[in-house]
Amino acid sequence: MASHNAPAIQPQLDDLLEHIPAGVVVHGVDGRILNANRLACELIGMSVEQLKNRVSGKARPLLRADGSPLPPDELPANVVLRTGSKVSEVILGIAEPQPESVRWLICNAYPEFDSKGKLCRVIVCFTDCTAMKQAQQGLQKSEERLRLILQGSTDAPWDYDLEKNEIYYSDRWWEMLGYRPGELGTDTSLWLDLAHPDDRVRVAGYWDDLLASQRGTYSVEWRLRHRDGHYVPVLSRGLVTRDAAGKALRVSGTNTDLTEQKLAERRIYELAYYDHLTGLPNRRLLGEELDKALARSERTGRLGAVVFLDLDNFKLLNDTMGHDFGDMLLRQVAERLRHTLRHCDQLARLGGDEFVLVLEDLGDDPHEAVIEAQHVLEKLLFTLGQPYYLDGRLFVSTPSIGVTLFDGAATGIETLLKQADLAMYRAKAEGRNTARFFDPRMQASAEYQARLERALREGLLDHQFVLFCQPQFNSEGQVVGAEVLLRWRRADGSLLGPTEFIGLAESSGMIVPLGQHVLEESCRALARWRSDHVLGQLELAVNVSAHQLRSADFVARMVDILEETGAPPGKLCLELTESVLAENVADTIERMRALRGHGLHFSLDDFGTGYSSLAYLKRFPLTALKIDRSFVHDVHVNPDAVPIVKAIIALARTLKLDIVAEGVEHEAQRNFLVDGGCGTLQGYLLGRPMPIGDFERMYGSGGIGTA
């Protein structure tokens, strides 16, 4: 019956085969293709005629699921022919004509047996799964990217399924805390149990608020305990998955280790607010802490004090032993200060050798506060006055301390620092190694000095500084030279002598431009005198400060002045004090020799009052010595002064130096000096200082010319 109906059914089967949504290829026992339906031809890209009698696998090159070439023995048809068993869901690829284009198929192969149970055909069915394969490849690429990103990242993923109450901690999460994966279990409260005690309540509250809210993201910082006991700062960020009603279902995120970031932030903070050498707070942090101290004082009514401390002779240590020793001293001073102060006091280093202390809670009334502060100051003076050991060397350093009291925030921070600074300078002026409290009179003096400094600068611009000259005479009473003396004729008509402004000019840095002005005007005078047969013979002495001589361009400036004015160099004598010769000896000698090469002369002023030695006199290119007025003053009344003056004169003769005696005010002094062999005399007895114009008229060719 079956065989009788088969011819009638076959067309129906063929029609069904053509329309099923799968490609079908029939292979014979020799592996050759016997037939293929329409979809198979479309998927393979060949007609039935092209496929028939081809050996399986040679119709089109095939690929494995991983993209590698498929060997013939792995073809599904060949596997069935070899094993007699079906093959299910094998992924194969057919290379398309387009570059890097592949059609992917899911294949199933079935054996067909005859009535005797012998394998007679293999039916291979396959469907197009290219879209599914591409989606799978895309997913694999995404997973690979995510894996590489997480592998290269320091972030630690975690995931909490709130519905199932299951939590996942990644390997990196455990590694960040020093544990093996899963070592502490996977309890859902583990992350909170490991939180720092100071963070636990805050973080638990944040978690509850997050779940109760409608937020879709979160970000929070806290600290987790590491296996070794320290706490790791972390930033946890992620997403909250919610249902349609807004209920939180899942929280997923990562923990970022903030250790390096926190260390960097701390380093930046220290650089901004702390002194790198001593580790003490710097001026910026001091300002903030002092501002808080003033607020506390105002709130409590308790007085405090600002203490300004400066090390005595610190520059000498730096100059003689080097900055390394200076740094060692500063570190030791800072350490002693830390151990001396009370726990409520503040300490800072302003820079250099300057330290500031803020003392709080000194008492309710000024008298009590002064007594309490005095106790602290005594401890400071004693502690800092003990010897220091710097790289095995014993060194003694003392402080000068200034103190000002404060009561609330009525007085500003900068004012307090200025007041304490003024008091510190008073301590230095009164012998050093002591402490002084600020007095309003100090402020008045400082304000006067500030006004005077401004007036000094303005006066230099307005040409208020004028030259006076005091004549110098030989033993026969003939004028042979003059010393330039500077006077300040202020706008109000007052006339100030050098003792009232030279010190300020040196401390304010104005001495160099002021000295330049004096040299320029003196050289202009010498240029004018060339046309007068009397004045043209005179030598003009001009005082030069240490600041001027130490300037690297002093020689060049001096030569420029001579060239610009036309002054004869041989008539200009630069007077130096002994202190100028005591520092930077080699540089000073070099500059002096350079100017001597241009014809200038040098005189050593106030000889006998400083630290001069025969070695100095021999090394420096001097042409004259000037006996200080203190010795001249006593020669006619004090027998002890006589041998000193005689010795100076004898020394000058031996070294072939001219001798100038200043401060000659009595005839007896003049007679003694002339009889002793002093060549040049200067003093009120012979001629008083006068404006340079008056000097030119009096001692020029039309004047008296003698003492």
Side-chain angles (χ1 to χ4, degrees):
M1 185 72 179
S3 60
H4 176 75
N5 294 330
I9 296 174
Q10 188 61 44
Q12 297 178 17
L13 293 175
D14 291 342
D15 185 62
L16 176 64
L17 193 63
E18 287 297 310
H19 291 88
I20 63 173
V24 178
V25 176
V26 180
H27 295 263
V29 293
D30 59 356
R32 294 181 180 277
I33 296 174
L34 301 177
N35 200 1
N37 71 348
R38 176 186 56 79
L39 187 56
C41 293
E42 290 179 5
L43 293 175
I44 296 173
M46 299 175 71
S47 66
V48 174
E49 289 72 20
Q50 290 174 317
L51 288 173
K52 282 184 177 181
N53 295 317
R54 284 181 179 267
V55 176
S56 178
K58 293 187 177 180
R60 293 283 296 276
L62 300 177
L63 306 174
R64 290 185 177 127
D66 62 4
S68 61
L70 183 74
D73 62 334
E74 293 183 18
L75 284 166
N78 291 343
V79 172
V80 173
L81 289 171
R82 186 171 66 251
T83 65
S85 301
K86 71 176 182 179
V87 174
S88 301
E89 297 183 353
V90 176
I91 305 297
L92 299 178
I94 301 176
E96 295 283 83
Q98 298 85 356
E100 299 185 5
S101 179
V102 177
R103 183 189 297 275
W104 293 98
L105 308 171
I106 297 178
C107 295
N108 294 279
Y110 307 93
E112 185 179 340
F113 301 95
D114 60 16
S115 58
K116 296 179 181 180
K118 184 178 179 180
L119 181 67
C120 61
R121 280 185 294 273
V122 176
I123 310 300
V124 179
C125 301
F126 46 88
T127 57
D128 190 336
C129 67
T130 302
M132 184 184 72
K133 180 66 174 177
Q134 289 174 342
Q136 182 188 38
Q137 289 176 332
L139 180 61
Q140 288 175 341
K141 287 181 179 178
S142 296
E143 290 177 345
E144 178 67 8
R145 291 192 193 100
L146 180 59
R147 186 187 66 80
L148 292 174
I149 289 171
L150 292 177
Q151 185 177 348
S153 169
T154 58
D155 289 353
W158 67 289
D159 178 68
Y160 189 179
D161 187 330
L162 299 171
E163 291 293 287
K164 296 180 181 179
N165 197 32
E166 293 177 353
I167 196 164
Y168 162 75
Y169 301 113
S170 66
D171 291 353
R172 175 65 185 132
W173 192 94
W174 293 100
E175 179 188 335
M176 186 181 291
L177 301 179
Y179 294 99
R180 296 188 308 276
E183 184 175 346
L184 300 181
T186 55
D187 192 285
T188 55
S189 64
L190 177 63
W191 64 274
L192 192 57
D193 294 338
L194 293 176
H196 192 286
D198 294 343
D199 298 340
R200 197 167 295 152
V201 173
R202 173 179 60 84
V203 175
Y206 180 89
W207 178 260
D208 292 339
D209 291 343
L210 175 66
L211 298 184
S213 72
Q214 295 296 310
R215 298 202 305 273
T217 62
Y218 76 92
S219 178
V220 62
E221 285 188 25
W222 80 92
R223 292 164 288 179
L224 290 171
R225 188 177 70 247
H226 193 275
R227 184 191 189 100
D228 64 13
H230 79 275
Y231 283 86
V232 179
V234 298
L235 169 63
S236 188
R237 293 174 293 185
L239 302 172
V240 182
T241 303
R242 300 181 183 275
D243 61 15
K247 178 185 175 183
L249 304 177
R250 194 183 202 104
V251 181
S252 307
T254 60
N255 286 358
T256 303
D257 187 341
L258 299 180
T259 301
E260 293 298 326
Q261 178 182 325
K262 294 297 182 183
L263 289 173
E265 289 174 356
R266 179 64 188 174
R267 179 60 177 157
I268 292 171
Y269 178 81
E270 289 176 352
L271 289 173
Y273 288 98
Y274 287 85
D275 169 50
H276 74 281
L277 179 64
T278 62
L280 295 178
N282 60 15
R283 188 184 191 100
R284 177 184 293 181
L285 185 54
L286 169 69
E288 295 182 5
E289 294 300 324
L290 182 52
D291 190 53
K292 296 175 185 176
L294 293 175
R296 286 191 292 268
S297 174
E298 188 168 32
R299 186 173 61 253
T300 63
R302 305 280 288 177
L303 279 76
V306 174
V307 179
F308 202 106
L309 186 151
D310 184 274
L311 301 180
D312 299 329
N313 301 314
F314 179 74
K315 184 178 182 300
L316 179 63
L317 171 67
N318 265 344
D319 291 345
T320 56
M321 300 179 70
H323 289 278
D324 289 344
F325 281 87
D327 290 347
M328 279 189 273
L329 176 62
L330 291 173
R331 284 192 287 267
Q332 291 189 30
V333 167
E335 194 61 26
R336 292 188 186 186
L337 289 173
R338 284 192 186 97
H339 289 92
T340 302
L341 295 183
R342 305 169 304 168
H343 71 279
C344 62
D345 298 330
Q346 305 289 336
L347 170 63
R349 179 188 175 212
L350 290 194
D353 59 335
E354 296 177 339
F355 297 84
V356 170
L357 296 70
V358 180
L359 310 181
E360 294 189 66
D361 200 24
L362 296 179
D364 296 325
D365 67 86
H367 179 69
E368 180 185 354
V370 168
I371 294 175
E372 187 66 26
Q374 192 65 49
H375 292 158
V376 178
L377 298 175
E378 289 171 359
K379 288 173 59 179
L380 291 173
L381 289 168
F382 174 79
T383 302
L384 298 183
Q386 301 305 304
Y388 297 85
Y389 289 90
L390 308 179
D391 197 25
R393 303 184 188 184
L394 187 66
F395 183 80
V396 177
S397 175
T398 58
S400 292
I401 302 174
V403 190
T404 187
L405 297 179
F406 61 80
D407 180 7
T411 306
I413 293 174
E414 290 303 320
T415 300
L416 289 173
L417 291 174
K418 185 185 296 184
Q419 290 176 350
D421 189 32
L422 288 171
M424 181 274 293
Y425 276 107
R426 174 60 60 87
K428 282 192 179 294
E430 295 184 5
R432 305 172 187 266
N433 192 25
T434 188
R436 289 291 180 268
F437 282 82
F438 173 75
D439 186 305
R441 287 173 294 183
M442 297 181 190
Q443 185 69 34
S445 175
E447 290 174 355
Y448 171 75
Q449 290 295 313
R451 289 195 302 271
L452 193 62
E453 182 178 336
R454 287 195 298 271
L456 190 149
R457 295 179 185 278
E458 294 169 359
L460 187 57
L461 294 174
D462 294 342
H463 306 288
Q464 294 177 4
F465 290 92
V466 295
L467 269 54
F468 274 49
C469 282
Q470 185 172 24
Q472 297 172 336
F473 301 90
N474 61 17
S475 58
E476 298 175 357
Q478 296 175 324
V479 63
V480 292
E483 180 183 2
V484 171
L485 303 171
L486 190 61
R487 299 291 185 268
W488 184 5
R489 193 179 300 282
R490 303 192 62 182
D492 60 5
S494 60
L495 190 67
L496 302 184
T499 57
E500 298 182 70
F501 62 83
I502 289 297
L504 178 62
E506 290 180 339
S507 63
S508 65
M510 289 294 294
I511 192 65
V512 173
L514 191 60
Q516 177 93 352
H517 167 73
V518 173
L519 287 170
E520 289 173 353
E521 293 301 313
S522 299
C523 286
R524 289 191 183 98
L526 284 173
R528 290 195 304 271
W529 292 359
R530 298 184 74 165
S531 59
D532 187 294
H533 70 274
V534 176
L535 295 175
Q537 301 301 313
L538 304 185
E539 184 177 79
L540 192 59
V542 180
N543 288 279
V544 174
S545 73
H547 294 81
Q548 288 176 271
L549 193 60
R550 290 173 193 154
S551 297
D553 60 349
F554 178 70
V555 174
R557 285 187 181 184
M558 191 68 252
V559 172
D560 288 344
I561 292 173
L562 291 170
E563 292 178 350
E564 290 171 5
T565 60
K571 296 301 181 181
L572 180 62
C573 180
L574 303 182
E575 290 193 353
L576 310 174
T577 60
E578 296 182 38
S579 62
V580 175
L581 308 184
E583 297 183 22
N584 302 316
V585 174
D587 291 342
T588 301
I589 291 175
E590 181 181 354
R591 292 183 182 121
M592 290 176 67
R593 285 178 175 167
L595 291 174
R596 283 288 290 131
H598 286 279
L600 279 75
H601 297 258
F602 286 95
S603 171
L604 185 57
D605 198 10
D606 302 331
F607 183 72
T609 61
Y611 304 96
S612 295
S613 66
L614 288 175
Y616 274 147
L617 297 179
K618 289 170 60 179
R619 292 178 64 187
F620 289 96
L622 299 169
T623 55
L625 294 182
K626 200 167 188 180
I627 305 174
D628 185 66
R629 64 177 62 251
S630 62
F631 298 118
V632 174
H633 181 270
D634 294 340
V635 290
H636 66 298
V637 293
N638 184 357
D640 293 336
V642 172
I644 295 176
V645 175
K646 287 184 176 180
I648 293 173
I649 294 173
L651 176 63
R653 284 177 175 171
T654 302
L655 297 176
K656 295 181 174 56
L657 299 175
D658 294 334
I659 283 287
V660 180
E662 62 179 346
V664 180
E665 299 177 356
H666 300 281
E667 192 65 38
Q669 296 169 345
R670 174 181 179 176
N671 293 337
F672 172 82
L673 292 167
V674 170
D675 292 342
C678 182
T680 306
L681 308 173
Q682 175 183 340
Y684 278 21
L685 174 68
L686 309 171
R688 291 177 173 271
M690 62 189 73
I692 192 168
D694 294 347
F695 177 87
E696 292 172 350
R697 285 187 291 273
M698 179 172 291
Y699 294 102
S701 56
I704 58 174
T706 59

